[in-house]
Amino acid sequence: MHTKILIIGAGGQIGLALTRKLKAIYESKNVLATDLRADEENEILPLDVLDSQALYTFVKTYQITEIYHLAAILSASGELNPQKAWKINIDGLFNVLEVSRELKVSKVFFPSTIAVFGDHIDQSNCANYVPLLPKTVYGISKVAGELWAAYYFDKFGLDIRSLRYPGVIGYQSLPGGGTTDYAVDIFLADFAQKPFECFLAADRALPMIFMDDAIDATISLMQADKAKLTVRTSYNIHAMSFTPSEIAAEIQRHNPKFDIIYKPDFRDEIAKTWPAIIDDSLARQDWQWKPKYDLSKLVQVMRDNIHQLASKQQ
Ligand code: SER
């Protein structure tokens, strides 16, 4: 069947980079990027995922065969407005699940996160199947989403696939509302030759991934042989783990004058509940996941390209 892709939340941090890559693979005319607000520069059409009728009409009109549903409120923003985060994250997913079931969309991608973890895990090596006891509304919504995804697969045969993204770091787009966003902002401070005020504690280790690896993982999972996929909630993927002081030290190898000041706030309380390292052996086994970037390569590529992001900020 001819592939026709709908991306929901295409204007977000992952959406912009993923759209570019999918257009390169499937041709621009087969990839429809949408977000709440239209964006002519990035060829993004307006579509509100909470408007189930508009979503239904869109999917039917364009004969969509695959949906990447990226629209969500992340961990830090979610804590500032829990009701809104729940509504967007859950009602939005539900509308996607229902339209996909009704119109027989052949594949759906739904991102999950390291924020699904909380109490009673091994933070130094967190397996795929552990108790999911998150402390944020974002985490709660993603646990519920994972379970709904598995339910739609079991009950209706909907081929919905999911990854638990670590903190995603890239120069292609600005992040928004996440606890891991510091690891992008730190490069903007380095570029602007300013001291960086970090909202996490110096030794708060978190799992992180470079944008290109995150995009490759997403597309590999979506292209993987259906029969090989054993996880229908969400796959752990791991690339690297570092603390704010470790990434600062790596930046200082390139720029010895770089300075970091620690002012932990509520986001450090969120990060405290997440693992430092996650075990992604199921992703490696089922669809050969393997990251290309470690901390030193990440810092190199970010410093080489951060001017692109700095110019978008103005
Ligand atoms: N990057 C996300 C956040 O910090 C985690 O999935 O909220």
Side-chain angles (χ1 to χ4, degrees):
M1 203 203 321
H2 193 65
T3 302
K4 196 91 183 178
I5 295 174
L6 164 61
I7 304 169
I8 300 168
Q13 187 201 13
I14 296 174
L16 283 168
L18 181 65
T19 302
R20 238 172 268 149
K21 188 72 188 266
L22 287 172
K23 283 184 174 178
I25 298 172
Y26 295 98
E27 293 182 47
S28 293
K29 66 175 178 10
N30 296 318
V31 178
L32 296 167
T34 69
D35 209 309
L36 199 50
R37 273 170 289 278
D39 171 357
E40 268 181 41
E41 189 195 331
N42 291 301
E43 296 176 324
I44 294 176
L45 303 167
L47 180 64
D48 181 357
V49 73
L50 295 181
D51 184 344
S52 56
Q53 194 51 51
L55 179 63
Y56 185 94
T57 305
F58 195 102
V59 173
K60 200 172 167 66
T61 307
Y62 293 103
Q63 299 185 323
I64 297 298
T65 62
E66 293 187 16
I67 299 179
Y68 290 73
H69 170 46
L70 304 175
I73 303 283
L74 299 193
S75 59
S77 302
E79 292 312 285
L80 303 179
N81 195 340
Q83 289 83 357
K84 183 179 167 201
W86 182 257
K87 189 168 177 50
I88 291 175
N89 295 2
I90 290 296
D91 292 0
L93 173 64
F94 236 92
N95 289 341
V96 170
L97 291 170
E98 273 301 281
V99 78
S100 303
R101 180 179 70 81
E102 286 174 37
L103 295 177
K104 301 200 180 350
V105 172
S106 40
K107 268 190 243 178
V108 179
F109 178 76
F110 162 68
S112 188
T113 161
I114 51 167
V116 294
F117 301 115
D119 285 346
H120 305 293
I121 51 156
D122 176 356
Q123 287 190 312
S124 64
N125 187 25
C126 182
N128 218 105
Y129 293 117
V130 293
L132 298 178
L133 299 166
K135 295 284 189 191
T136 60
V137 67
Y138 172 60
I140 299 170
S141 73
K142 289 291 181 176
V143 172
E146 287 188 10
L147 295 173
W148 275 117
Y151 183 88
Y152 268 69
F153 174 72
D154 289 340
K155 293 274 168 177
F156 308 120
L158 177 66
D159 188 0
I160 176 161
R161 306 176 179 201
S162 178
L163 294 176
R164 289 176 182 148
Y165 288 123
V168 178
I169 305 157
Y171 57 81
Q172 296 91 335
S173 45
L174 285 164
T179 301
T180 55
D181 295 2
Y182 92 87
V184 176
D185 297 340
I186 197 170
F187 291 101
L188 290 166
D190 172 33
F191 181 74
Q193 299 182 342
K194 288 190 178 143
F196 178 62
E197 199 175 292
C198 184
F199 56 69
L200 295 188
D203 61 351
R204 184 73 56 225
L206 289 175
M208 300 281 186
I209 190 169
F210 179 50
M211 179 67 81
D212 292 21
D213 275 337
I215 300 301
D216 280 353
T218 308
I219 294 173
S220 300
L221 174 65
M222 287 298 272
Q223 292 181 339
D225 179 356
K226 189 177 172 187
K228 299 250 165 70
L229 302 181
T230 61
V231 178
R232 284 298 180 164
T233 48
S234 192
Y235 278 98
N236 281 5
I237 50 164
H238 192 71
M240 66 187 93
S241 175
F242 56 76
T243 64
S245 73
E246 285 164 347
I247 190 172
E250 190 61 31
I251 291 173
Q252 279 155 353
R253 284 202 321 114
H254 299 263
N255 172 14
K257 289 196 184 134
F258 179 70
D259 193 16
I260 183 164
I261 306 150
Y262 297 98
K263 290 202 178 155
D265 65 17
F266 74 100
R267 289 166 283 192
D268 192 53
E269 296 301 316
I270 295 175
K272 218 185 250 181
T273 67
W274 294 350
I277 297 176
I278 56 179
D279 171 0
D280 59 1
S281 44
L282 291 172
R284 289 176 189 252
Q285 172 193 300
D286 290 359
W287 44 277
Q288 287 69 55
W289 157 243
K290 199 168 186 279
K292 294 191 184 74
Y293 287 83
D294 60 12
L295 177 59
S296 101
K297 279 196 190 163
L298 170 86
V299 169
Q300 183 73 54
V301 72
M302 286 298 289
R303 294 193 84 253
D304 288 349
N305 292 284
I306 195 67
H307 58 276
Q308 297 180 34
L309 196 56
S311 66
K312 279 188 193 136
Q313 250 194 330
Q314 288 143 16

